Amino acid sequence: MQRILAGLHRFQRDVFPAKKALFESLCDGQAPYALFITCGDSRIVPSLLTQTPPGELFLSRQVGNIVPPHGTLYGGVSSTIEYAVGVLRVRHAIICGHTNCGAMTAILHPETVEDFPNTRRWLANAEVARQLVNARCPNGTEEERIEMVTRENVRIQLMHLETHPVVAVAVAQGALQLHGWVYHLETGQVDAYNPVTKEFAPITFDEPDADEPGAADLAISEISGMFEEASR
Ligand SMILES: [Zn+2]
C-alpha cells in the first residue's frame, strides 16, 4: 500500500499543480470523445495506450472486455453504455481486447473456472467465440486458438454492443462509430477489426506531411477512422 500512497502524494505534489488548469476545467463537466471498453487486466492502461488526457475516455472495464447483449443483464456495463452514448454522446465506442488475456484461456477451457460461478456465467457471454474457434481451428496449437478467440471475442462483443438500443440508434444516426481492437502486450501494436474484410489488421498511422498546408495534427487511420480530429 505504501507504493500507492507514495504515488498519490507525488500526484498531489507534482502532477496536479502542473496541470491545475486542466483539472479545474474538468470540474465543469465532462465531454469524453470515446467509450473505451476493455479488460480489467492491470497491464492495459487506456489513457497511456491512446495518450489521452483526463476527460477524453469514458471507461468500462471488466473481465474479458465483454458486453452482454441487451436484455440479458441489467447492470454496470449496460448502464455505462447508456450513459456514455445516450447522455454524454461519445462519438466512438472501442472494444479493446488484448493478447495474453487470462479470460480468453478460460473461455476456451471453461472447466478451469468451474469453482468461480460468477466468472463462468460471465464468460458464457463469449460462448459463440469458443464454439467458432473449436469449429474453425480444432487442431490448432493453444497459441493459435487463443489468438483466434481473442479476435473472435472482440468481434462478437461488437455485435452485442449494437444490440443495445441506444447504440443502435446512435449508429443509425451516424453519431457513433464502433471499433474493435486487439492490443499486443508484447509489442504495443494494436490491430483493428475491418468490418469490410472481416479481418484484423494493424492500425497504421500516417505521419502528417509538414510541408502540406493545413496538415492535420493527427493522421487518419482508414480502418478505425477514429483519429479524425475532434471538432467538439
Ligand atoms: Zn484480459
Side-chain angles (χ1 to χ4, degrees):
M1 194 61 194
Q2 198 54 37
R3 191 185 300 181
I4 289 176
L5 294 179
L8 174 62
H9 178 62
R10 281 200 305 279
F11 170 76
Q12 292 171 338
R13 186 193 59 198
D14 304 330
V15 179
F16 192 93
K19 295 187 182 295
K20 197 163 184 285
L22 169 65
F23 288 114
E24 280 179 354
S25 72
L26 292 172
C27 292
D28 298 331
Q30 59 172 330
Y33 184 56
L35 167 63
F36 199 92
I37 300 169
T38 192
C39 187
D41 193 299
S42 60
R43 299 165 294 181
I44 315 295
V45 184
S47 56
L48 184 67
L49 176 62
T50 58
Q51 292 292 290
T52 45
E56 296 214 347
L57 297 181
F58 200 84
L59 297 179
S60 175
R61 304 196 64 160
Q62 54 278 325
V63 169
N65 37 276
I66 280 169
V67 177
H70 172 68
T72 59
L73 186 70
Y74 297 101
V77 181
S78 49
S79 53
T80 300
I81 290 166
E82 286 183 355
Y83 190 66
V85 176
V87 179
L88 298 174
R89 308 227 175 258
V90 294
R91 296 169 164 213
H92 299 272
I94 301 156
I95 296 182
C96 183
H98 67 100
T99 57
N100 301 82
C101 180
M104 298 304 113
T105 305
I107 288 167
L108 284 184
H109 304 283
E111 69 282 359
T112 60
V113 289
E114 218 157 83
D115 292 339
F116 304 102
N118 286 293
T119 308
R120 181 162 45 82
R121 291 193 182 105
W122 178 250
L123 296 181
N125 288 299
E127 173 64 12
V128 178
R130 188 184 76 82
Q131 292 204 18
L132 282 172
V133 171
N134 284 342
R136 289 180 188 161
C137 192
N139 303 314
T141 64
E142 178 73 1
E143 196 181 345
E144 287 167 342
R145 287 164 53 80
I146 292 282
E147 265 179 45
M148 187 180 282
V149 82
T150 304
R151 292 193 298 266
E152 287 298 335
N153 180 54
V154 167
R155 202 174 61 78
I156 297 300
Q157 304 312 327
L158 276 174
M159 290 164 62
H160 289 175
L161 182 59
E162 214 165 351
T163 65
H164 289 260
V166 74
V167 172
V169 168
V171 168
Q173 290 173 335
L176 177 70
Q177 289 180 33
L178 308 184
H179 311 270
W181 287 8
V182 173
Y183 168 57
H184 292 254
L185 290 182
E186 59 280 14
T187 59
Q189 178 180 308
V190 174
D191 296 336
Y193 179 64
N194 183 329
V196 176
T197 63
K198 303 199 184 304
E199 301 280 349
F200 281 80
I203 292 180
T204 53
F205 183 82
D206 304 319
E207 290 292 344
D209 185 349
D211 296 332
E212 193 178 311
D217 291 341
L218 290 171
I220 295 170
S221 160
E222 284 179 12
I223 293 174
S224 75
M226 76 149 292
F227 291 117
E228 290 173 60
E229 261 194 302
S231 57
R232 59 194 300 162

